[in-house]
């Protein structure tokens, strides 16, 4: 494949591009679903192609093809160059990329249990295990949608400035939707996912069936023992899962430089964060948020981004202060910085854009007991269902699925649907203590047009929010 | 590509597969994205692919083949076969449609002028300028052209071809950080394309939305702009799939023949809608697409079905395959008899929502959700509009449908990033909609 990506880049330069990159991607894998105990069938993924991105006269063009012949690639390169040239005419200033150090590297994530060595039926057994364990709880779960997916992502990236990055990353996941009907009432755990970069051993170690059992037991308890949550100003402890969605939505997204500069305005929106807010306080001193693609076996794992830049941990917030934005080369240049390797594309037929990878709230030094021991009245939100945030990433809400009352330092009965509806600044300013243990939860982050759902982890340590307005439905 | 289809079908039958569906695509798509009044990137996609579905004694599997050499096709089929042999059957699989069928051309779904269109920047500039003329300062959006060819061959006697084009634009206009508006235009033939209208609407709303105040919370009569209501109906379209209901993702579970909406509400899926962005001559098993009434005068009449699910429930397919998961083509809410002005006059004190995004569910089966108004939001008081900001619609899908008390008489066809299934809807007035907001 090296020849074809090299051919594409050379061809683009020949046609007048000042910068060119070509990215070959091949994805292979299987997915299997099971609905209410019945296997839904097998889906085999085998997709490959090349995407070419160029700069011509300061305009950007992108073209892709899945017909992997020199003729077809040559045609795609011509289109990309032509489109870039035309685009340059409707620009106020030319697009410039930051200077970077590039490498010739090859890396891969190893699988102890290579999923390619297992039959679909053996993979289906993992879903059967979820079915059996859920059934064994005795809880009535009439709707059960389970799915398993594995994919091996191979990439070859080459650009006209000397980058050559070859990578192989396997990804494996299990997702479930479980609907619990008990006592004439219904509760739901939808789209719960467990996901990793690596082999089947990671799923086996993680035991998604245990997560499913925990969920249905919690929902049953909620149905029989759930009470109204307190309303008004209380303390709130949010679990790593809820912390994860909050850092992703209200820290990661608004710190994406393309959004800050308006490039995503028509789709995923802009940002309340402005370039001159670097160095400004946004949260309490207890809040440090890190974005790190290099966490081994993480769902959002990579070592080089899709512009060939080497990845590293990025401190978005340090001790409550905004310290870094997520950038690609285009927006790093605008900020007068180096890229911090946030350019990701979901497939060969998508352009790399600024994305998150694994975002988390850094640990503090509180044990869980210490977090709750001096709370007179509060709520512990363990998991969430409904969530959303406005397109400047300022007004958000998270509704608890599993949640409990905290009274006089103790966890009491479950509470139904406590609602945290709050601004970003108020949320992170209210945190007065953070737990010691970090946990991660997978998700698919949506952005770009056409949409690019990229795998990410979200998480962190438990966080305690003081004196915040909690609502009920 | 019928020669490829026939080769695949022949080889699949030789290997012993039962039902076989071969759906080939040739796709040419162009995109121009723009922001801050300039083009950020221009793209071109050229793809050929074959979607393949096979059945072997009630075991089903699917894949997409992009490398179309005979060797790769044979290798793929053999891989499928070996993978399926040890698999458990899908006990509720009941086969695909028996062809052949007759197909009729759908008016206004193909236009050679779109295929031959060379320069697209001009349309973008027209949209941007229209928004700027209305007072916008920054304009962002996306323009697409599409040219698709579909070739369908099945083991049940279907051989069908469809060719379609499309051109669409989505424009968002900004004045300050908090003042914005949005307009779209999606059509299948060039002469109906009106990028200025999208730009103008975006600019107008942004201008009206200047200096918004914090919005209220409580229960309000809400006028949903077509752009906003299309978002809700697009999410609902997935819930009308029988597959979604079985999997626990639909508030319509167990509600067949029950009242789920106001008497004013008739919702259809129209696969053969002229000039509809989702229109196609046939579904994935070759059944000619058609009009299906999902909700009639408030009563839920049918889920969207493919042949297998229809047989499972003792009824007929609605021509919405998706072989595993039936899906809607174009959702249409029948218009009513109010002019836009009359609709606003109905509201003594309420809210006009021009757009929403980020619709998410607390519980799919119950239908509890929230969604965030974005772009211009207005307090409506005795015919006056006052811009507001920072509110959230927090309610229940069925209750929203039940609360519809008036419908505009003009239908608008909406398709954009947030409205994946195209929707035709008028302005909609809903009573007592739950509105919340962050208080700190």
């Amino acid at each position: 494949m090296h020849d074809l990506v090299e051919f594409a880049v050379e061809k683009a330069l020949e046609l007048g591009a000042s910068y060119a990159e070509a990215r070959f991607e091949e994805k292979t894998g299987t997915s299997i679903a099971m609905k209410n105990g019945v296997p839904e069938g097998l889906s085999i993924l085998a997709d490959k192609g090349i995407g070419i991105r160029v700069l011509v006269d300061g305009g950007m063009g992108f073209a892709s093809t899945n017909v992997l012949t020199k003729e077809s690639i040559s045609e795609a390169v011509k289109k990309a160059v032509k489109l870039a040239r035309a685009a340059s005419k409707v620009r106020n200033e030319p697009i410039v990329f930051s200077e970077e150090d590039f490498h010739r590297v090859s890396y891969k994530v190893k699988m102890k249990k290579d999923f390619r060595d297992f039959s679909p039926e053996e993979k289906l057994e993992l879903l059967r295990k979820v079915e059996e364990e859920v059934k064994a709880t005795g809880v009535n779960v009439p709707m059960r949608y389970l799915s398993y997916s594995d994919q091996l992502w191979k990439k070859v990236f080459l650009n006209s400035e000397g980058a050559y990055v070859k990578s192989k990353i396997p990804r494996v996941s299990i997702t479930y939707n479980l609907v619990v009907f008990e006592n004439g009432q219904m509760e739901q755990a939808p789209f719960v996912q467990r996901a990793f970069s690596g082999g089947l051993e990671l799923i086996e170690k993680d035991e998604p069936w245990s997560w499913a059992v925990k969920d249905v037991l919690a929902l049953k308890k909620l149905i029989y023992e759930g009470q109204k949550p307190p309303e008004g100003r209380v303390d709130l402890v949010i679990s790593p899962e809820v912390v994860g969605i909050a850092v992703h939505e209200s820290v990661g997204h608004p710190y994406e430089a393309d959004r800050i500069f308006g490039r995503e305005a028509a789709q995923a929106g802009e940002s309340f964060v402005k370039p001159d807010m670097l160095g400004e306080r946004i949260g309490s001193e207890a809040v440090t948020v890190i974005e790190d693609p290099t966490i081994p076996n993480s769902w959002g794992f990579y070592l080089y981004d899709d512009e060939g830049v080497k990845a590293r941990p990025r401190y978005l917030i340090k001790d409550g202060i905004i310290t870094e934005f997520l950038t690609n080369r285009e927006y790093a240049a605008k900020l007068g910085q180096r890229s911090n390797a946030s350019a990701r594309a979901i497939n060969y037929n998508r352009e790399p854009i600024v994305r998150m990878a694994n975002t988390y709230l850094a640990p503090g030094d509180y044990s869980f007991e210490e977090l709750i021991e001096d709370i007179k009245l509060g709520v512990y939100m363990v998991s969430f269902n409904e969530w959303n945030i406005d397109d400047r990433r300022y007004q958000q809400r998270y509704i608890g699925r599993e949640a409990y009352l905290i009274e006089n330092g103790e966890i009491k009965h479950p509470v139904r649907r406590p609602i945290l509806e709050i601004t970003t600044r108020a949320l992170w300013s209210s945190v007065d203590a953070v737990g010691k243990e970090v946990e991660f939860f997978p998700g698919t982050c949506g952005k770009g047009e056409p949409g690019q759902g990229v795998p990410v982890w979200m998480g962190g340590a438990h966080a305690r929010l003081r004196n915040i307005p909690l609502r009920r439905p | 590509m019928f020669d490829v289809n026939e080769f695949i079908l022949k080889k699949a039958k030789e290997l012993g597969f039962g039902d076989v569906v071969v759906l080939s695509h040739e796709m040419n798509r162009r995109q121009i994205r723009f922001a801050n009044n300039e083009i950020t990137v221009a793209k071109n996609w050229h793809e050929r692919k074959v979607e393949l579905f096979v059945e072997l004694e009630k075991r089903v599997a699917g894949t997409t083949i992009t490398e179309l050499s005979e060797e790769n096709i044979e290798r793929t089929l053999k891989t499928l076969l070996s993978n399926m042999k040890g698999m458990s059957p899908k006990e509720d699989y009941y086969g695909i449609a028996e062809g052949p069928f007759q197909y009729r051309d759908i008016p206004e779904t193909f236009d050679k002028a779109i295929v031959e269109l060379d320069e697209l920047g001009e349309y973008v500039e027209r949209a941007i300028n229209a928004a700027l003329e209305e007072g916008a300062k920054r304009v962002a959006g996306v323009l697409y052209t599409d040219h698709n060819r579909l070739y369908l061959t099945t083991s049940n006697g279907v051989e069908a071809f469809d060719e379609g084009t499309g051109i669409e634009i989505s424009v968002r206009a900004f004045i300050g950080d908090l003042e914005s508006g949005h307009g779209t235009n999606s059509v299948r033939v060039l002469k109906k394309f009106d990028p200025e209208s999208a730009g103008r609407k975006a600019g107008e709303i942004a201008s009206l939305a200047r200096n918004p105040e914090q919005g209220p919370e409580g229960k309000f009569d809400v006028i949903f702009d077509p752009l906003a209501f299309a978002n809700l109906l697009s999410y609902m379209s997935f819930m009308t799939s029988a597959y979604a209901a079985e999997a626990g993702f639909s508030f319509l579970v167990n509600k067949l023949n029950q009242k789920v909406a106001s008497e004013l509400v008739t919702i259809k899926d129209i696969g053969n809608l002229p000039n509809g962005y989702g229109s196609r001559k046939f579904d994935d098993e070759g059944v000619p697409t058609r009009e299906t009434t999902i909700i009639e005068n408030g009563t839920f009449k049918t889920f969207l079905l493919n042949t297998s699910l229809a047989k499972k429930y003792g009824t007929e397919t609605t021509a919405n395959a998706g072989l595993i998961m039936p899906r809607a083509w174009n959702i249409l809410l029948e218009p009513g008899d109010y002019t836009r002005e009359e609709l606003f006059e109905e509201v003594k004190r309420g809210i006009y929502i021009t757009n929403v995004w980020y619709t998410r569910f607390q519980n799919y089966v119950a239908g509890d959700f929230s969604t965030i108004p974005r772009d211009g939001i207005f307090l409506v008081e005795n015919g006056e509009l006052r811009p507001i900001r920072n509110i959230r619609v927090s309610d229940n899908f069925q209750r929203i449908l039940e609360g519809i008390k008036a419908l505009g008489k003009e239908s608008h066809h909406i398709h954009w990033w947030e409205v994946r299934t195209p929707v035709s809807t008028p302005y909609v007035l809903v009573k007592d909609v739950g509105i919340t907001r962050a208080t700190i």
Side-chain angles (χ1 to χ4, degrees):
Chain A
M1 207 38 65
H2 181 94
D3 290 354
L4 288 180
V5 288
E6 204 164 59
F7 168 77
V9 168
E10 279 168 10
K11 180 89 191 162
L13 296 178
E14 244 173 58
L15 293 172
S18 58
Y19 168 83
E21 68 187 27
R23 183 168 31 89
F24 164 80
E25 287 201 35
E26 180 176 13
K27 288 197 174 78
T28 52
T30 54
S31 52
I32 301 167
M34 184 180 264
K35 183 155 50 74
N36 305 327
V38 179
E40 278 297 306
L42 166 72
S43 175
I44 291 186
L45 173 74
D47 189 19
K48 58 184 172 185
I50 281 186
I52 299 116
R53 191 170 67 144
V54 299
L55 292 180
V56 183
D57 302 335
M60 188 186 285
F62 177 88
S64 73
T65 178
N66 64 1
V67 180
L68 294 170
T69 60
K70 281 198 170 173
E71 297 70 44
S72 169
I73 290 167
S74 173
E75 209 43 49
V77 172
K78 278 185 208 161
K79 281 174 182 162
V81 169
K82 187 182 167 192
L83 288 166
R85 193 166 276 131
S88 73
K89 293 181 186 125
V90 192
R91 280 199 68 82
N92 304 320
E93 55 178 81
I95 293 172
V96 176
F97 280 1
S98 58
E99 296 273 328
E100 302 294 340
D101 298 325
F102 290 111
H103 305 96
R104 289 184 71 83
V105 286
S106 176
Y107 70 97
K108 67 176 175 186
V109 172
K110 286 189 183 137
M111 290 190 268
K112 280 190 193 136
K113 278 182 115 174
D114 190 327
F115 47 65
R116 290 170 297 181
D117 297 338
F118 293 82
S119 70
E121 191 61 19
E122 286 169 299
K123 293 167 186 173
L124 196 63
E125 278 305 316
L126 295 168
L127 301 184
R128 284 216 177 86
K129 176 101 173 134
V130 178
E131 277 275 315
E132 281 161 16
E133 298 270 327
V134 164
K135 212 166 271 177
T137 61
V139 180
N140 182 33
V141 191
M143 290 169 192
R144 305 171 309 277
Y145 181 79
L146 317 173
S147 66
Y148 163 90
S149 167
D150 60 49
Q151 293 187 3
L152 185 61
W153 295 19
K154 291 183 192 168
K155 288 190 198 187
V156 180
F157 174 88
L158 192 143
N159 74 11
S160 56
E161 295 173 12
Y164 178 80
V165 182
K166 201 172 159 189
S167 64
K168 196 152 108 178
I169 303 178
R171 287 192 157 89
V172 60
S173 76
I174 280 186
T175 307
Y176 59 81
N177 173 46
L178 298 168
V179 180
V180 172
F181 264 102
E182 286 276 347
N183 200 26
Q185 291 173 52
M186 179 257 302
E187 293 290 342
Q188 189 170 20
F191 295 117
V192 177
Q193 191 182 28
R194 306 298 305 163
F196 307 90
S197 290
L200 273 184
E201 75 280 0
L202 297 169
I203 288 285
E204 287 174 355
K205 190 174 159 220
D206 182 63
E207 300 186 343
W209 39 89
S210 306
W211 291 86
V213 163
K214 181 177 163 294
D215 263 319
V216 297
L217 291 175
L219 292 178
K220 183 181 175 184
K221 192 170 158 114
L222 178 65
I223 286 172
Y224 285 98
E225 299 170 30
Q227 296 180 24
K228 280 185 181 173
E231 209 169 15
R233 295 251 175 187
V234 295
D235 295 340
L236 177 71
V237 174
I238 52 177
S239 74
E241 181 179 342
V242 182
V243 162
I245 190 74
V247 291
H248 177 91
E249 300 294 3
S250 71
V251 183
H253 275 306
Y255 291 53
E256 294 161 351
D258 56 348
R259 191 192 285 273
I260 292 171
F261 284 98
R263 191 187 195 256
E264 288 292 315
Q267 295 89 9
E270 298 193 324
S271 176
F272 77 92
V273 176
K274 302 296 167 207
D276 61 5
M277 283 170 70
L278 278 174
E280 193 173 295
R281 177 164 294 283
I282 191 72
S284 74
E285 285 187 357
V287 176
T288 291
V289 177
I290 305 169
E291 226 302 320
D292 185 2
T294 67
I295 299 171
N297 297 120
S298 60
W299 188 228
F301 179 81
Y302 61 87
L303 292 182
Y304 285 81
D305 78 354
D306 288 324
E307 291 183 330
V309 179
K310 194 171 193 293
R312 61 167 172 82
R314 299 157 298 213
Y315 280 67
L316 304 183
I317 299 178
K318 196 157 191 311
D319 306 329
I321 307 286
I322 299 176
T323 43
E324 187 170 3
F325 300 144
L326 295 168
T327 59
N328 60 0
R329 295 186 64 195
E330 180 179 354
Y331 289 96
K334 267 192 179 296
L335 289 160
Q337 300 173 351
R338 290 274 186 117
S339 166
N340 55 23
S342 308
R344 297 180 76 183
I346 191 63
N347 205 355
Y348 69 87
N349 55 9
R350 298 289 192 269
E351 61 167 331
I353 54 174
V354 179
R355 307 306 299 267
M356 277 175 268
N358 304 302
T359 320
Y360 67 100
L361 180 69
D365 49 11
Y366 282 71
S367 68
F368 181 71
E369 291 69 30
E370 286 167 339
L371 284 177
I372 61 164
E373 67 189 4
D374 68 345
I375 292 179
K376 280 207 178 76
L377 179 66
V379 164
Y380 174 36
M381 197 189 283
V382 182
S383 57
F384 66 96
N385 278 355
E386 183 184 313
W387 85 101
N388 48 31
I389 186 162
D390 70 40
D391 61 353
R392 298 174 65 244
R393 303 282 159 176
Y394 202 61
Q395 295 245 349
Q396 61 222 279
R397 111 162 167 172
Y398 312 99
I399 304 191
R401 173 166 81 237
E402 181 183 353
Y404 302 91
L405 183 78
I406 306 171
E407 212 171 39
N408 298 322
E410 281 180 32
I411 304 269
K412 297 284 175 76
H413 56 76
V415 291
R416 293 177 187 280
R417 302 187 182 192
I419 301 173
L420 174 61
E421 192 164 356
I422 194 166
T423 62
T424 296
R425 202 176 278 280
L427 170 62
W428 298 113
S429 300
S430 306
V431 175
D432 83 323
V434 176
K436 291 177 185 172
E437 306 286 332
V438 168
E439 262 191 281
F440 290 97
F441 295 82
T444 302
C445 174
K447 192 181 168 184
E449 179 166 10
Q452 300 200 47
V454 298
V456 293
W457 260 4
M458 304 168 264
H462 280 86
R464 181 173 67 198
L465 281 63
R466 290 290 197 186
N467 195 32
I468 54 102
L470 201 67
R471 320 168 71 113
R472 32 169 97 137
Chain B
M1 289 179 73
F2 278 123
D3 51 342
V4 175
N5 284 19
E6 274 154 29
F7 178 78
I8 294 173
L9 181 61
K10 181 167 153 270
K11 287 288 163 193
K13 294 308 284 185
E14 278 172 18
L15 287 170
F17 287 110
D19 294 333
V20 181
V21 174
V22 192
L23 181 61
S24 297
H25 302 255
E26 275 183 79
M27 180 192 94
N28 275 297
R29 179 161 228 221
R30 289 177 289 178
Q31 181 200 55
I32 296 185
R33 284 188 59 168
F34 49 103
N36 296 315
N37 312 334
E38 61 182 353
I39 292 178
T40 52
V41 66
K43 300 181 205 165
N44 183 284
W45 292 275
H46 169 241
E47 305 224 329
R48 268 192 329 163
K49 64 177 183 185
V50 176
E51 286 182 76
L52 175 63
F53 170 88
V54 287
E55 179 259 350
L56 181 79
E57 292 158 359
K58 287 203 163 207
R59 295 161 179 89
V60 300
T63 189
T64 301
I65 309 174
T66 51
E67 194 210 313
L68 302 175
S69 66
E70 293 196 351
E71 301 76 56
N72 189 50
I73 288 169
E74 288 195 57
R75 194 167 47 237
T76 304
L77 285 166
K78 282 180 184 158
T79 305
L80 282 171
L81 187 69
S82 66
N83 274 313
M84 289 166 78
K85 275 194 168 152
M87 267 184 74
S88 304
K90 175 173 160 53
E91 297 293 352
D92 60 353
Y93 176 75
Y94 297 99
I96 57 171
E98 281 289 341
F101 299 95
Q102 293 291 314
Y103 304 104
R104 297 171 73 159
D105 283 340
I106 308 166
E108 298 182 318
T109 49
F110 176 74
D111 184 358
K112 216 170 149 205
I114 291 176
V115 181
E116 289 169 352
L117 204 56
D118 192 39
E119 188 49 57
L120 301 175
E122 172 209 344
Y123 293 104
V124 169
E125 289 186 85
R126 276 161 58 186
I128 292 173
N129 289 336
L132 295 176
E133 277 163 25
E134 295 296 335
K137 302 286 181 230
R138 289 174 286 134
V139 187
V142 63
L143 170 84
Y144 282 107
T145 68
D146 285 294
H147 178 206
N148 295 306
R149 290 196 182 100
L150 276 179
Y151 307 78
L152 178 68
T153 307
T154 79
S155 54
N156 278 4
V158 168
E159 191 173 274
F161 174 75
D162 195 6
E163 184 170 20
T165 53
I167 183 163
E168 61 178 343
I169 196 163
S170 169
V171 185
R172 196 152 180 241
F174 295 80
I175 293 177
D177 280 343
L178 299 170
E179 297 102 345
S180 61
H182 192 164
T184 65
N185 189 242
S186 305
V187 295
R188 304 286 301 266
V189 290
L190 193 58
K191 66 174 186 295
K192 294 210 163 176
F193 188 47
D194 186 3
E196 280 98 344
S197 70
R200 201 171 305 116
K201 180 175 176 185
E204 271 171 12
I205 293 171
S207 292
L208 276 174
R210 273 174 217 266
N211 305 318
E213 291 167 14
Q214 171 62 53
E217 58 183 0
K219 298 268 183 200
F220 291 88
D221 285 1
V222 168
I223 296 171
F224 288 95
D225 188 274
L227 200 63
F229 211 70
N231 180 289
L232 303 186
L233 288 172
S234 188
Y235 278 91
M236 205 188 91
S237 75
F238 169 63
M239 299 187 163
T240 64
S241 169
Y243 191 92
E246 287 188 344
F249 290 113
S250 174
F251 74 100
L252 293 165
V253 169
N254 297 331
K255 293 197 178 134
L256 267 181
N257 297 316
Q258 289 180 29
K259 246 0 221 149
V260 295
S262 138
E263 294 255 338
L264 298 172
V265 175
T266 293
I267 294 174
K268 295 172 173 173
D269 173 60
I270 309 183
N272 54 1
L273 182 73
N275 198 27
Y277 222 81
S279 297
R280 251 172 62 172
K281 279 187 198 168
F282 43 82
D283 73 1
D284 284 2
E285 48 188 298
V287 182
T289 51
R290 64 182 196 218
E291 182 173 312
T292 300
T293 302
I294 301 167
I295 294 174
E296 189 169 30
N297 301 328
T299 302
F300 177 49
K301 303 304 277 189
T302 184
F303 282 108
L304 299 180
L305 301 160
N306 56 21
T307 295
S308 181
L309 278 159
K311 284 193 179 152
K312 180 175 173 181
Y313 294 114
T315 180
E316 298 292 315
T317 177
T318 56
N320 288 94
L323 294 158
I324 301 289
M325 199 182 305
R327 61 173 183 273
W329 305 111
N330 300 287
I331 289 289
L332 181 135
L333 170 61
E334 287 279 358
D337 49 12
Y338 280 72
T339 64
R340 191 176 178 281
E341 292 67 34
E342 285 166 347
L343 208 65
F344 278 83
E345 280 164 17
E346 280 289 301
V347 178
K348 296 289 163 269
R349 186 168 189 272
I351 293 172
Y352 168 41
I353 291 173
T354 63
N355 195 11
V356 296
W357 89 316
Y358 226 131
T359 304
R360 289 291 183 278
F361 287 79
Q362 164 66 25
N363 187 314
Y364 289 81
V365 182
D368 298 335
F369 78 101
S370 70
T371 188
I372 308 195
R374 74 176 200 180
D375 304 310
I377 318 165
F378 304 93
L379 206 59
V380 184
E381 268 178 319
N382 303 315
E384 297 279 310
L385 295 184
R386 217 170 70 219
I388 55 172
R389 63 188 165 97
N390 294 345
I391 59 165
R392 177 177 269 104
V393 173
S394 305
D395 213 304
N396 174 282
F397 248 35
Q398 185 167 330
R399 212 215 55 74
I400 292 270
L401 290 177
E402 285 168 344
I404 291 179
K405 64 178 200 182
L407 296 165
K409 56 162 81 163
E410 268 182 48
S411 200
H412 301 261
H413 192 61
I414 308 289
H415 181 238
W416 72 286
W417 193 65
E418 266 283 319
V419 179
R420 312 272 172 99
T421 300
V423 173
S424 294
T425 173
Y427 283 80
V428 178
L429 172 56
V430 185
K431 68 181 174 203
D432 297 334
V433 176
I435 301 289
T436 58
R437 59 178 175 157
T439 50
I440 61 166

